[in-house]
Structure formats: C-alpha cells, structure tokens
C-alpha cells in the first residue's frame, strides 16, 4: 500500500491522498469515506516526512495538506511535520498562514522559530522578524547560529545598528562569533549602515577563511562608495592565499575599479577572472564590460561584450553608457538599435542612458524620436524615465518641453521628477519658477531630497527665505548631509550673514575639502581675509590635506591682507605638495605677488607658467599699473594682445585705462577705446566706468558723457563716476540732474555717490541743496556721513562766504573734526579775507598738527595780505619756538 501511494504522490502530488475531497473546506468538514483513521495518519506522516513533498504542491494543495494534518492530529504531535508546513507557507509568501500555524503549534523548537524569522526575511517582513526574535528571547528559547544569522540579516535590512549590536553581544557571549553565517550577517549590517570600519573590525575579530564574510565587506564598501577600501580588502584576501575569490568577489572589485577608473588594476583582476574560470558568469562579464566602458576603453569593452556567452540588459546598458560618456551619441543609438533586434528586455536604466545620449542641442530630433519610442513601449510614465526626459530637454534648451513632460507625470510622489524639474529651472536661469515649484512641492507634502535642497539654497539671496529653507532642512534631518550643510552656510555667506554661516559650518558632522573651500572662500569674499587664514590653519589641525582650490583661495586672502610673508609660505607649501604647475595656483600667485608689491616675484612666476591665461595677464598688468609703472603696464598689455589671448576681460581693460588716466594721455586712450568698440564690449558697465574716469582725468567731459550714454545697463559705479566727473569739471547742475535720474532708475546711492553730489553742490553754490542731500543720506538711505562729506559741506559754505556758519557747522559735527576739515575752512577764510575765523581755524589746526609748517605759512600770508605785520612777526616767532623753520616745497610727477 505504501509503495503504491509513493508512486502516486510522485506523479499526481496530493490527488490520491485527497481524492475524496474537492476542496480544503471539504477536507475540514466532510467525513473520510475510504480511509480509516490509522491510514489517514500514515498518509499524513508520509506527506510531511520529506519537505520536497510539500514544495511540489500548489498553495491550494498545501492548504489541503494542512487540513489533512489537522484532521489526523499529526500537526500537534509531530513538530517536524509542522515545521515543514511552515516552510511551505513561507515559500508561497503567505506569512499570514504561517503565523496562524505557528500559534497552533504547542511545542515549538528552535527550528520552528528560525523558520519564522527566515520566512519573514524572505518576504521582506523585517520588522516582524525582529519581533519574533524578541519574543523568542523573552521566552528563553535557546538560539543557534541560524537564529543569530537570520535576525542580523533583518537588522541589516532595517539598518538598526543598535539592535544589531545587542544581538552580536549575545553572539559573542554564547560562542557563535566564529560562525561564518553569523559574522556575515553582522558585516552586512554594518556595511548597509555605511560603517565599513566596524564591518572590518568584525572581519578581523578572528582569522577568517570564509569567502562569504570577505565578500560581504567588499560588497558593503562598494555600495558605500568606499571603492579604495574595497580594493584594499580584496588585496588582503588575495594575499592570504587560503581563499579563492568567487564570481561575487570579482564582480564587486571590478565595480570598484570602474568607479575609480583604475583601468590597469582592473585589467589585472580581469586576468585573475580568466585564470579562475569565472569569465562565463554573466555578472562578472557585465562588470568587466562596465569597467572598460567607464574607463573610456570602448574598443576593449565591445570586445569583451562580444565574447560574453550570455548578455543581459545591464551589459547592453553599460555599452550604451560608455558611448554616452565619450560623447559618441550616434554609436550609443546604434547599440540601442542592435539591442532591440535581439529582443533583449529594455529597462529604465537603458532608457535613461539613451536619453543622456540625446542631451545635446544637435540631437533635438533624435530626442523627439526616442521620446516617441518610450511612449510606444509604455515607459513614458515611469518616474525615472520622466526625470531623464525633463533633464534631456533642459540640456537641449527646450525648457518648455521639460515643463510639458513634468505636467504629464502621473506619479508626482517621486522626488526625482521634482528634483530634475527644479534643476532644469536653475540651469536655465528661471530662478523664480524653481522657488515656486519648491514651494508647491512642500504644499503637496513631498519631502525634498538633498539634491533639491542644495539646488534651492544655491539660488537664495534673501535671508528670510534662506532661514525658512534652513529650518525645513533641520526639521527633516538633512543638515547632516555634506552637500546640504555646505549649501546652507554658502547661502548665509552670500547673504552677508557670516556669523550664521560659521555656525552652520561648525554644525557639519562631516567636512570635506569642498565645504572647507566654500567657507574659506566666503570669508575671503566678504572682506574677512584674516578669518579665512585662521580657518585654513584650523583645517591643518584637522589633518586634512588642502587641494589647489583651497590654496588658491588662501593666496587671494594673502593678497587682500597684503601679507607677503604668508603668501610666500603658501607658495612653498604648494611647491612641496606638487601643486606648483596648476593654473589656478599660478594665477593666484601672480595676483598675490602683484598686490603685495613684489613685482619681481610676480614676473618670475608669470614667465614660468606653461600656459598664461587672461587672469594671470590681468593680475600682472594691474600690479604694474597700481604701483605707478605705467609704461611697463602698457607694454604688458601690448604683449598680451600679441600672445594670441582671444578674450580680454573687463578687469584688464580697466587696469590699462586706469594707467592712462594717471598719465593723462588721451591719444593712447582713444586708441584703446577704438579697440574696445572693435571687441564689442563698450556696453559693459565696468568698461564704461573706466573710460569715463580716463576721459575725465584727461579733461574731456564731453567724451565722458558720450561714453556714459552708450552703457547699456549702468551700474552704481557708472552713475557715480559720471556724477563725480561732472562735479570736478564745474558742471554741478548736470551732476544733480544725473543724480535724480539715477534714483528714478531704481539704483540706490552709496557714500561715494554722495561725495560727488555734495561736491557738485559746492561747485554750484547750492547751499540749500547741500543740506538737503546731507540729511537725505542719513534719513533715506541710512548712510552715516564721513569726513569727506563734511569737508564738502564746509567747502560749500566757504565758497558761499558763509564762514561763521561753516565754523558752527564744524563745531556741531557728530564726529571729531580732523585737520583737513579745518584746513578747508582756513582756505575759504583766505579767499574771503575773514581773519578772525581764519585765526580760529589755524589754532585748531596747530592743536591737531603742531609741527605742520604749512598752517603757519598760510596764516602768516593771510595777515600779510591784510597789512597786519605785527601778527606776521608773531607767527614767524612761533614757528621758531616750536622748531618749525622750513616748509617742504610742493612737488609733482609732471
């Protein structure tokens, strides 16, 4: 009888056992017709005596078997039978039935519990697996290596570091730490949680020859982008010689080589793959193809691709991505065509790679065709593909099509779609739309990722909005991300709040070279060069190696501080670190030496540069011009034009124009003006301002006016330069009219502008206007007047002959008047012959500058003109008493 039943089971599964029952319900309710109770038990025992008997059944047949076991009572007496049924439910992904059965089993053993934990893991119910383990621990059930390995796997999937450490503590206590399965679970937990160092500690706890454990560390390091760590571990593993790397090992280390573009090392590993016979594995073959493709060796990639016995979608996609990386869009589309002919499955990564190939203005028609193909195969609504479409149209320059693609997206819960649309707006310059879309995203309850937060923060120039986004980042816990944290303190720096910028920087848990560079650059750009240098020294204490960008930023800070000594130290450090031949370093060195006055060193660095760009030329020309070496500056500019530098920037032109203004040589200035017009840069505000200043110094106010009218968008400097030029040439009314036009255009004046305005009032004799503008700068613009403003007012009152009023004005100044203010009043007294006020002014000057011979001579001449010779003799006597016997004669460059 048993032999007949076994043969029947092999061919008809459970049909002979349950032939009287048409359903599991019937099994539970109907009476057994042909089989007695003893025979039913025998059949039930045979059914569960081998797990393969149950695994061959369908889910419905398994439920029927469950019913038979219940009817015969076997399930309560035979734990082996119950465990096999638990395993069957787990395989069918019906953990709800497994849990019901689990609760029915009166006497569970460790296998029963292990099957439940493992079943939860198989069905991705990791929280339930952890709860089963906790219940098992609470009931005092003895655990084995399978228990610990399975629960550690659950902790790894949940990334519950603390829970995993607790479990591993019991592992160590109960002596299972040498088991490879258990240690692999703990290593996987640490690796998934980006704690590769902890994973290595577990690996090195005991001498391990289990390749699975080593593979877990290598794989974890690759997933965490610690590719060099992964390669180092593989090297150790290989040197030990007691373990043979398998296909999983090779695919992981080849992926690491591809990520760091270590082609030569990858080739040597490829040789080991061939030697070890693992080349036929599809995953290893794909990793080899990906290595060559990402390293730019497309001929080798194609060769290995053709040698693969079996190709999958990943290997095809690697070839397409490789051609995209090399900029060969035509070949990428050709590979796609071949891929479609083979009938290979197309996934979202393949489509994204093809769209990346079309992200070029010349590929607009191809992008449209690919879009139609995507629509045809039904992937157009996929969030990943939709994000790629938005990005492609953005790079093509068709931002309107990006917006249409975004509007057609059905699943707007995917952050990637929003991120690409916001990024598209940012790159196209539509900042308002980017911020509006970000606000809409928040209103719809979508949590932005770090890429969106970084993109938005890079746009913000308002502290109010910036603080709101910062608060949001704090709320969702994104400030610990290096990219977001760096964007936050960069935003504060850009908005001028350096205190908040420093706080945000200090709160960063991890600081990389980019974050240090951004913070140091922010301090340097906002006039805090000394703090930038301090932060650089702090960086050295953190044992971080500065890169060329940081060194260039610090050299620029040395330029701002005019610290030649520190600049030379940084130069020496750059030479030792091998950064001397970097263009960015050379540019910064030329600039530093030029601004610090060491023009000889600047020339040495400049002439040693293998490639001289416009930055280095401009720095050297500016250095010579500012130090008064005008002819040398002009000669350098001439050499620059002959060197073939295509683009001459505004800074260089401005430096040369400044030198011409000092020389007061309108002939050369006119020639340079013609060159500027030829290059088509006369409309730039910075160029226009320099031209105005040059023509003003040369006395050609008419040309100043013509140049100003040609500037397309005058900035504050342009307006101020023109107003000052009018004032210096006695055209006060024109200056004041231009000032009114400036305010109507929406540009707010600064303190330099008001110096020009008050000077214009002085030259025109408009006392009332002068008082009005002085009060306006305080009341309307919050600008506190300085000595130059008060000097202009004293000069205005003095020119108008209101000397007593000028005296009272000086006495009532909110700041202590200096020598120049009193000298301005003294000069006015000489013109108007007011000896009394002049005498008072002279006394104040002598108090502030006792050794100034010029004051004594001016007062003496004033009394002499009035015929008061007694006073002249007294002043000359005072000069002898104080030791002032000689006045230094005036002198000029001309």
């Amino acid at each position: 009888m048993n032999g007949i039943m076994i043969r029947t089971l092999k061919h008809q599964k459970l049909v002979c056992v349950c032939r009287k029952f048409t359903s599991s319900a019937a099994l539970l309710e109907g009476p057994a017709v042909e089989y007695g109770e003893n025979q039913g038990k025998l059949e039930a025992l045979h059914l569960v005596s081998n797990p393969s008997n149950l695994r061959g059944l369908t889910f419905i047949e398994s439920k029927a078997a469950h019913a038979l076991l219940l009817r015969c009572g076997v399930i309560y007496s035979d734990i082996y039978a119950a465990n096999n049924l638990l395993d069957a439910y787990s395989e069918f992904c019906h953990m709800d039935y497994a849990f019901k059965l689990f609760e029915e089993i009166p006497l569970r053993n460790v296998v029963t519990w292990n099957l439940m934990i493992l079943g939860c893991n198989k069905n991705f119910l990791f929280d339930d697996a952890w709860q089963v383990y906790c219940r098992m621990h609470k009931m005092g059930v003895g655990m084995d290596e399978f228990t610990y390995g399975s629960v550690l796997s659950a902790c790894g999937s949940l990334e519950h570091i603390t829970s995993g450490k607790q479990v591993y503590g019991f592992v160590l206590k109960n002596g299972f730490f040498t088991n490879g399965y258990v240690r692999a679970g703990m290593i996987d937990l640490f690796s998934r949680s980006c704690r590769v160092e902890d994973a290595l500690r577990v690996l090195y706890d005991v001498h391990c020859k289990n390749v699975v454990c080593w593979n877990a560390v290598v794989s974890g390091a690759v997933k965490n982008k610690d590719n060099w760590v992964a390669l180092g571990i593989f090297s150790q593993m290989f040197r030990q010689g007691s373990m043979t790397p398998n296909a999983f090992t090779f695919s992981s280390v080849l992926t690491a080589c591809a990520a760091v573009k270590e082609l030569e090392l990858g080739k040597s590993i490829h040789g080991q793959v061939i030697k070890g016979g693992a080349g036929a594995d599809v995953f290893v073959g794909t990793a080899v193809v990906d290595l060559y493709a990402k390293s730019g060796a497309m001929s080798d990639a194609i060769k290995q691709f053709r040698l693969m016995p079996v190709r999958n979608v990943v290997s095809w996609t690697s070839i397409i991505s490789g051609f995209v990386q090399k900029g060969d869009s035509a070949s990428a589309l050709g590979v796609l065509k071949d891929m479609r002919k083979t009938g290979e499955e197309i996934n979202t990564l393949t489509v994204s790679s093809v769209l990346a190939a079309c992200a070029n203005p010349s590929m607009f028609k191809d992008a449209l065709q690919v879009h139609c193909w995507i629509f045809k195969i039904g992937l157009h609504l996929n969030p990943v593909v939709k994000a790629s479409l938005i990005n492609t149209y953005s790079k093509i320059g068709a931002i309107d099509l990006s917006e249409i693609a975004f509007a057609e997206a059905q699943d707007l819960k995917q952050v990637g779609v929003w991120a690409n649309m916001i990024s598209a707006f940012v790159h196209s310059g539509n900042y308002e739309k980017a911020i509006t879309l970000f606000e809409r995203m928040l209103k719809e309850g979508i949590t932005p990722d770090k890429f969106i937060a970084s993109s938005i923060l890079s746009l913000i120039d308002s502290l109010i909005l910036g603080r709101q986004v910062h608060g949001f980042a704090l709320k969702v816990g994104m400030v610990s991300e290096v990219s977001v944290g760096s964007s936050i303190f960069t935003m504060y720096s850009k908005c001028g709040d350096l205190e908040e910028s420093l706080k945000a920087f200090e709160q960063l848990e991890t600081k990389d070279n980019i974050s240090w560079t951004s913070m140091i650059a922010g301090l340097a750009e906002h006039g805090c060069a000394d703090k930038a240098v301090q932060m650089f020294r702090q960086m050295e204490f953190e044992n971080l190696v500065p890169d060329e960008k940081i060194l260039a930023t610090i050299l620029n800070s040395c330029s701002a501080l005019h610290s030649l000594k520190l600049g030379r130290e940084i130069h020496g450090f750059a030479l030792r670190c091998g950064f001397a031949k970097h263009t960015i370093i050379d540019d910064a060195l030329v600039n530093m030496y030029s601004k610090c006055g060491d023009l000889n060193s600047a020339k040495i660095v400049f002439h040693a540069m293998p490639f001289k760009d416009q930055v280095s030329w401009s720095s050297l020309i500016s250095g010579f011009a500012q130090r008064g070496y005008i002819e040398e500056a002009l000669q350098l500019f001439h050499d620059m034009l002959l060197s073939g530098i295509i683009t001459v920037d505004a800074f260089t032109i401005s430096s040369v124009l400044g030198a011409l203004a000092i020389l007061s040589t309108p002939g050369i200035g006119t020639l340079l003006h013609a060159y500027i017009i030829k290059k088509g840069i006369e409309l730039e505000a910075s160029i226009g301002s320099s031209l105005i200043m040059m023509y003003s110094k040369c006395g050609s106010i008419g040309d100043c006016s013509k140049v100003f009218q040609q500037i397309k968008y005058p900035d504050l400097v342009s307006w101020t330069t023109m107003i000052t030029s009018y004032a210096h040439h006695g055209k006060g009314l024109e200056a004041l009219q231009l000032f009114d036009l400036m305010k109507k255009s929406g540009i707010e004046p600064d303190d330099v502008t008001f110096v020009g305005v008050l000077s214009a009032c002085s030259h025109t004799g408009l006392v009332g206007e002068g008082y009005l503008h002085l009060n306006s700068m305080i009341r309307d613009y919050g600008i506190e007047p300085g000595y130059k403003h008060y000097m202009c007012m004293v000069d205005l009152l003095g020119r108008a002959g209101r000397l007593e009023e000028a005296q009272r004005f000086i006495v009532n100044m909110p700041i202590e008047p200096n020598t120049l203010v009193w000298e301005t009043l003294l000069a006015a007294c000489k013109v108007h012959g007011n000896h009394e006020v002049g005498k008072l002014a002279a006394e104040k000057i002598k108090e502030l500058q006792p050794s100034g011979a010029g004051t004594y001579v001016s007062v003496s001449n004033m009394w002499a003109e009035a015929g008061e010779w007694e006073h002249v003799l007294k002043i000359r006597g005072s000069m002898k008493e104080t030791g002032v016997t000689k006045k230094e004669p005036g002198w000029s460059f001309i």
Side-chain angles (χ1 to χ4, degrees), residues 122-416:
K122 286 181 180 178
N123 292 278
F124 307 104
L125 302 174
F126 303 112
D127 279 317
D128 291 328
W130 174 251
Q131 294 301 325
V132 171
Y133 167 78
C134 292
R135 184 177 168 189
M136 183 180 183
H137 179 72
K138 187 176 181 180
M139 295 179 67
V141 179
M143 303 178 190
D144 59 14
E145 62 270 24
F146 299 106
T147 314
Y148 292 124
S150 298
V151 76
L152 283 171
S153 178
C155 291
S157 299
L158 294 170
E159 296 185 11
H160 286 178
I161 291 290
T162 304
S163 302
K165 284 184 174 180
Q166 292 174 351
V167 174
Y168 198 64
F170 287 110
V171 168
L172 294 171
K173 180 181 177 181
N174 297 326
F176 290 106
F177 62 93
T178 58
N179 183 269
Y181 178 57
V182 175
R183 297 176 71 216
M186 195 64 199
I187 289 169
D188 184 61
L189 165 63
F190 282 132
S191 299
R192 286 172 180 262
S193 305
C194 304
R195 297 177 63 160
V196 178
E197 290 184 3
D198 291 325
L200 284 170
R201 289 193 188 96
V202 175
L203 179 69
Y204 296 147
D205 277 345
V206 294
H207 182 66
C208 180
K209 295 183 180 181
N210 189 334
V211 71
V212 176
C213 293
W214 287 85
N215 284 349
V217 181
V218 173
S219 174
V222 172
K223 289 176 182 176
N224 292 313
K225 299 182 179 179
D226 292 326
N227 297 293
W228 287 110
V229 174
L231 294 173
I233 297 166
F234 173 73
S235 178
Q236 294 178 31
M237 176 183 177
F238 195 75
R239 284 198 303 268
Q240 286 192 4
S242 57
M243 287 173 294
T244 303
N246 57 21
F248 188 85
T249 318
F250 286 127
S251 62
S252 296
V253 294
L254 285 167
T255 302
C257 289
V260 296
K261 292 183 171 56
E262 270 292 325
L263 182 58
E264 294 305 317
L265 178 59
K267 284 181 177 180
S268 66
I269 295 173
H270 185 195
Q272 296 173 26
V273 168
I274 296 171
K275 184 178 179 181
D281 185 90
V282 65
F283 297 107
V284 175
T286 301
V288 170
V289 170
D290 190 53
L291 164 70
Y292 288 118
K294 286 184 177 176
S295 301
M298 288 307 299
S299 58
D300 291 324
I302 294 170
K303 179 182 177 182
Q304 295 302 319
F305 177 75
R306 288 173 178 168
L307 290 174
M308 289 180 68
V310 178
R311 301 167 189 148
N312 60 11
V313 63
V314 180
S315 52
W316 282 97
T317 304
S318 295
I319 293 292
I320 294 173
S321 299
F323 279 122
V324 173
Q325 183 177 307
K326 287 188 73 75
D328 190 350
S329 301
S331 296
L333 294 176
V335 174
L336 174 68
K337 185 178 179 180
D338 295 338
M339 181 180 180
R340 292 177 63 191
K341 286 180 181 178
T342 64
E344 182 64 63
E345 174 192 4
I346 305 287
N347 64 14
T348 56
L349 186 59
T350 313
V351 174
S352 297
S353 299
V354 173
L355 284 170
C358 300
N360 188 302
S362 63
M363 302 286 290
F364 181 70
K365 291 183 179 179
D366 298 279
L368 291 176
Q369 290 176 356
V370 171
H371 191 174
C372 294
W373 167 67
I374 293 168
F375 191 87
K376 182 179 179 181
I377 63 176
L379 284 176
H380 62 290
L381 295 178
N382 183 276
V384 176
V385 174
K386 186 66 70 177
S388 298
L389 267 174
I390 292 168
N391 185 50
T392 298
Y393 282 133
S394 169
K395 289 184 177 179
I396 288 174
I399 190 67
D400 53 335
L401 294 179
S402 292
E403 291 188 75
I404 292 172
F406 177 78
E408 291 175 347
Q410 292 185 353
D411 187 6
L412 284 179
K413 297 295 182 183
Q414 293 292 328
V415 179

Side-chain angles (χ1 to χ4, degrees), residues 707-892:
V707 171
F708 179 77
Q709 291 172 6
Q710 289 177 347
I711 300 175
K712 191 172 183 180
Y713 299 109
D715 59 5
L716 176 60
V717 177
S718 306
W719 287 97
T720 301
T721 306
M722 193 64 232
I723 290 169
T724 305
S725 298
Y726 273 137
H728 287 172
H729 284 80
K731 294 182 175 293
L733 291 176
E734 289 86 343
L736 295 176
Q737 288 173 358
L738 193 64
F739 179 64
D740 290 335
L741 286 174
M742 172 185 165
K743 290 190 292 184
K744 289 178 182 177
S745 69
I747 295 180
E748 289 191 359
D750 62 1
D751 58 333
V752 180
T753 312
F754 275 107
V755 171
V757 170
L758 293 173
S759 178
C761 293
S762 175
H763 285 84
T764 317
L766 300 174
V767 177
E769 289 286 326
Y771 277 117
L772 180 66
H773 289 300
L774 184 67
N775 293 327
S776 175
M777 68 182 292
I778 303 171
R779 181 185 64 251
D780 300 331
Y781 301 102
I783 302 172
E784 290 295 328
Y787 286 113
K788 289 184 179 180
H789 304 99
Y790 290 121
M791 283 172 58
C792 288
M793 283 301 300
V794 172
D795 184 56
L796 169 59
L797 294 170
R799 285 171 183 263
R802 298 160 67 164
L803 301 175
E804 289 79 7
E805 185 178 345
Q807 178 191 339
R808 290 194 299 272
F809 179 84
I810 294 174
V811 172
N812 294 322
M813 280 170 54
I815 58 177
E816 190 69 28
N818 62 3
T819 306
L820 293 175
V821 174
W822 288 110
E823 285 178 349
T824 304
L825 179 59
L826 178 60
C829 291
K830 286 178 61 179
V831 172
H832 292 281
N834 191 325
H835 305 145
E836 296 300 325
V837 177
K839 182 181 177 182
L840 174 64
E843 292 295 330
K844 293 291 185 181
I845 295 169
K846 285 192 289 183
E847 290 177 8
L848 295 170
Q849 196 174 357
S851 59
T855 305
Y856 290 94
V857 174
S858 296
V859 176
S860 174
N861 292 339
M862 184 177 63
W863 286 116
E865 289 173 4
E868 300 287 344
W869 297 105
E870 293 180 4
H871 290 89
V872 173
L873 292 173
K874 286 181 180 180
I875 291 172
R876 295 292 180 179
S878 298
M879 289 179 69
K880 292 179 180 180
E881 291 175 4
T882 56
V884 180
T885 58
K886 184 179 178 182
K887 178 183 180 290
E888 184 181 351
W891 57 278
S892 172

Side-chain angles (χ1 to χ4, degrees), residues 625-626 629-631 633-634 654-665:
Q626 290 174 2
Y629 298 98
I630 310 304
E631 293 182 1
L634 294 175
S654 299
S655 299
V656 176
L657 287 171
L660 293 173
I662 295 172
L663 282 179
S664 298
T665 52

Side-chain angles (χ1 to χ4, degrees), residues 617-660:
W617 280 102
S618 299
S619 298
L620 196 60
I621 291 169
S622 175
F624 275 99
Q626 290 174 2
R627 294 286 165 177
Y629 298 98
I630 310 304
E631 293 182 1
E632 288 85 345
L634 294 175
Q635 183 60 49
L636 276 169
F637 180 68
H638 182 258
D639 294 341
M640 176 182 178
L641 297 179
L642 293 177
S643 70
I645 295 292
I646 298 174
T647 305
V648 180
D649 62 2
F651 181 76
T652 311
I653 296 290
S654 299
S655 299
V656 176
L657 287 171
L660 293 173

Side-chain angles (χ1 to χ4, degrees), residues 87-112:
D87 189 38
Y89 281 137
S90 170
E91 291 295 329
F92 285 120
C93 303
H94 276 283
M95 289 305 297
D96 50 344
Y97 285 94
F99 272 105
K100 289 178 182 177
L101 174 60
F102 179 75
E103 297 300 334
E104 293 173 356
I105 299 173
L107 297 174
R108 312 178 188 100
N109 60 10
V110 66
V111 177
T112 312

